[in-house]
């Protein structure tokens, strides 16, 4: 039998950029007995959840919760609003933007992929000016949606979504704006209403600190109107039946009851702490980790300091060093999981997650494992990233002394 809990002592360091470590408080909530998903207690839970999740998305509009991964929420966003053959403008910022484009093509849409060329294009964020230029050319308004990734998990870039909204508005183009913030939600500021997003896609296993298995569509009135004429086949993903059932706190099919217990607890944790504090600690962790990478003399994957991600940092290896081999050595020697390079960045870098349920010492230990692994792999380091990060965290407390 496969043994999953194989760590001999201490906890495994899960420092990939999602799934993130699940806090004990959430695990305890998920362990409660499963209840009747048609009973009155569940209806009360559903109504509470559906209101609290709006606060996280910063919206007053409906947020649909699916028992699915973020990929399911991508599909739901596309098939509820678009029709066969529709032209969709998408921007390539990394691996997950590429997967979304592939899905659109498989669903019978006509995606057009904008982006900067080559591997270097994966080291920057969405270029709003390129979207604006393309929309100005579309005088017939054949483009029905603009799809962008907010926090690109494969590269450590957090794109400027308000700039994309301004670009669309500047052209007077009626295209829907769809945004994937699967890894950004509850780690960095996100405003579904304030930024004029029509469909926001997210998932449970990143900043919400849950296991995988829940995903979301936050939807605008404009998106709901579009869904009334969409002809792509849909049943499980259909918004209309879910919105109707949600009025009383229920779902039209069996929801993931115990994951919803966990979601309710996660929302309480985030709201008790306060979202602005949550965002501040993620930004601080990110600076500390980047300080370490720079002290090692390595490049950060993201090359634009204006769009550094507070969720993860990509550490680029010197020429001739296989990042996957380094990552594997770190895992085997120090029981530390790091994110691999994906797509165009495969073998070039590894990703350090600094999100959710961690703290300064979690990250210091993570950086210690990285530093030791880099040295064992023969990488010539400029200095100690661990000491640099320690110094940064010590000098920059989250709560400065009065």
């Amino acid at each position: 039998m496969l043994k999953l809990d194989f760590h001999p002592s201490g906890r495994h360091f899960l420092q990939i950029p999602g799934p993130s470590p699940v806090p004990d408080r959430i695990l305890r909530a998920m362990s409660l007995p499963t209840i009747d998903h048609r009973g009155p207690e569940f209806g009360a839970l559903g109504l509470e959840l559906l209101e609290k999740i709006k606060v996280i998305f910063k919206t007053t509009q409906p947020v649909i919760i699916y028992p699915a991964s973020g990929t399911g929420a991508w599909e739901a966003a596309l098939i509820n609003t678009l029709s066969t053959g529709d032209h969709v403008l998408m921007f390539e910022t990394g691996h997950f933007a590429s997967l979304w484009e592939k899905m659109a093509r498989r669903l019978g849409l006509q995606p057009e992929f904008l982006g900067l060329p080559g591997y270097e294009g994966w080291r920057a964020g969405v270029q709003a000016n390129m979207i604006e230029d393309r929309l100005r050319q579309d005088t017939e308004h054949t483009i029905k949606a603009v799809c962008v990734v907010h926090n690109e998990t494969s590269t450590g870039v957090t794109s400027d979504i308000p700039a994309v909204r301004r670009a669309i508005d500047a052209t007077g183009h009626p295209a829907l704006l769809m945004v994937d913030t699967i890894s950004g939600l509850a780690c960095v500021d996100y405003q579904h209403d304030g930024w004029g997003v029509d469909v926001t896609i997210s998932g449970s296993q990143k900043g919400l600190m849950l296991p995988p298995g829940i995903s979301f569509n936050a939807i605008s009135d404009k998106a709901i109107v579009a869904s009334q004429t969409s002809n792509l086949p849909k049943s499980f993903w259909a918004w209309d039946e879910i919105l109707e059932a949600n009025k009383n706190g229920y779902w039209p099919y069996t929801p993931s009851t115990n994951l919803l217990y966990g979601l309710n607890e996660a929302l309480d944790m985030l709201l008790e702490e306060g979202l602005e504090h949550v965002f501040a600690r993620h930004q601080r962790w990110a600076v500390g980790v980047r300080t370490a990478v720079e002290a090692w003399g390595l490049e950060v994957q993201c090359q634009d300091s204006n769009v550094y991600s507070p969720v993860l940092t990509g550490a680029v290896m010197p020429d001739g060093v296989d990042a996957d081999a380094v990552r594997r050595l770190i895992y085997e020697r120090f029981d530390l999981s790091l994110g691999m390079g994906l797509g165009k960045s495969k073998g070039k870098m590894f990703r350090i997650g600094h999100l959710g349920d961690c703290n300064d010492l979690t990250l210091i230990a993570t950086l210690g494992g990285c530093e030791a692994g880099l040295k064992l792999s023969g990488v010539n380091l400029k200095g100690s990233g661990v000491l640099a990060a320690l110094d940064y965290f010590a000098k920059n407390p989250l709560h400065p002394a009065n």
Side-chain angles (χ1 to χ4, degrees):
M1 179 180 292
L2 178 65
K3 186 173 177 59
L4 294 176
D5 188 12
F6 57 89
H7 309 288
S9 63
R11 289 202 175 195
H12 172 65
F13 276 73
L14 182 66
Q15 296 302 138
I16 61 177
S20 60
V22 181
D24 290 346
R25 180 172 161 183
I26 291 176
L27 290 172
R28 287 193 295 270
M30 290 171 54
S31 72
L32 294 172
T34 305
I35 59 174
D36 175 10
H37 60 284
R38 302 288 180 229
E41 296 87 356
F42 186 91
L45 170 67
L47 288 173
E48 182 175 326
L49 274 175
L50 290 164
E51 284 304 308
K52 285 196 290 196
I53 192 64
K54 292 179 182 180
V55 181
I56 307 301
F57 282 89
K58 296 191 175 180
T59 184
T60 60
Q61 301 176 96
V63 178
I64 290 175
I65 303 174
Y66 290 107
S69 70
T71 305
W74 274 349
E75 182 163 336
L78 295 172
I79 65 175
N80 274 289
T81 56
L82 301 169
S83 295
T84 302
D86 274 355
H87 186 181
V88 183
L89 187 64
M90 310 180 96
F91 201 96
E92 181 183 4
T93 46
H95 182 69
F96 291 97
S98 300
L99 291 180
W100 202 3
E101 187 268 348
K102 178 182 177 182
M103 173 186 284
R105 197 172 301 282
R106 294 190 68 168
L107 290 172
L109 301 170
Q110 294 185 40
E112 177 183 344
F113 221 12
L114 290 181
L116 298 171
Y119 167 62
E120 293 304 314
W122 283 28
R123 306 186 75 177
V126 174
Q127 306 296 301
N129 63 307
M130 293 175 66
I131 292 174
E132 181 174 342
D133 290 345
R134 181 64 188 91
L135 291 179
R136 288 193 186 282
Q137 297 168 19
D138 183 33
T139 56
E140 300 297 318
H141 294 168
T142 64
I143 295 171
K144 301 303 179 185
V146 174
C147 301
V148 295
V149 175
H150 176 220
N151 190 82
E152 176 56 74
T153 322
S154 66
T155 63
V157 173
T158 302
S159 288
D160 187 345
I161 303 305
V164 177
R165 179 73 264 174
R166 291 192 296 270
I168 298 172
D169 291 347
T171 67
H173 200 288
L176 296 165
L177 174 58
M178 300 190 194
V179 180
D180 163 358
T181 188
I182 290 172
S183 62
L185 189 74
C187 294
V188 59
D189 189 30
Y190 186 85
Q191 303 178 31
H192 177 81
D193 289 0
W195 296 349
V197 181
D198 292 300
V199 186
T200 297
I201 295 98
S202 197
S204 59
Q205 73 275 20
K206 310 282 187 175
L208 290 174
M209 304 176 289
L210 292 162
I214 296 180
S215 58
F216 309 90
N217 280 175
I219 54 180
S220 71
D221 290 339
K222 183 178 176 181
I224 292 174
V225 170
S227 73
Q228 293 165 0
T229 56
S230 164
N231 71 12
L232 284 171
K234 62 191 74 71
S235 177
F236 179 85
W237 306 112
W239 288 346
D240 56 354
E241 291 187 353
I242 299 174
L243 289 171
E244 185 61 32
N246 280 176
K247 290 178 181 178
N248 296 310
Y250 298 101
W251 273 255
Y253 40 64
T254 306
S256 45
T257 304
N258 289 62
L259 279 174
L260 293 179
Y261 294 167
L263 175 60
N264 196 43
E265 194 71 19
L267 296 176
D268 284 345
M269 291 174 69
L270 292 165
L271 297 176
E272 287 165 12
E273 181 178 354
L275 287 179
E276 296 310 311
H277 188 277
V278 172
F279 302 152
R281 64 177 166 85
H282 281 87
Q283 290 286 0
R284 178 174 167 276
W285 289 339
V287 176
V289 172
R290 289 196 302 271
T291 298
V293 174
E294 291 162 359
W296 290 330
L298 302 177
E299 287 187 357
V300 173
Q301 171 72 17
C302 177
Q303 291 289 282
D304 182 353
S305 61
N306 294 313
V307 291
Y308 281 146
S309 173
V311 179
L312 71 142
T313 297
V316 180
M317 295 298 97
D319 290 342
V321 176
D322 181 356
D324 287 340
V326 175
R327 191 176 55 82
R328 186 166 51 252
L329 183 151
I330 291 169
Y331 173 78
E332 292 171 351
R333 290 289 298 272
F334 304 110
D335 204 10
L336 164 62
S337 287
L338 301 167
M340 65 188 299
L342 300 168
K344 293 178 183 179
S345 64
K346 181 172 176 54
K348 298 178 184 292
M349 53 89 90
F350 59 74
R351 296 171 294 146
I352 304 169
H354 33 80
L355 70 161
D357 186 39
C358 61
N359 57 34
D360 291 5
L361 290 181
T362 305
L363 294 177
I364 291 300
T366 297
L367 294 170
C370 291
E371 188 165 311
L374 288 164
K375 288 181 177 179
L376 289 170
S377 300
V379 178
N380 185 24
L381 301 180
K382 179 180 175 182
S384 172
V386 175
L387 292 179
L390 270 171
D391 191 49
Y392 173 81
F393 288 140
K395 290 180 178 177
N396 298 275
L398 189 55
H399 300 290
N402 293 328

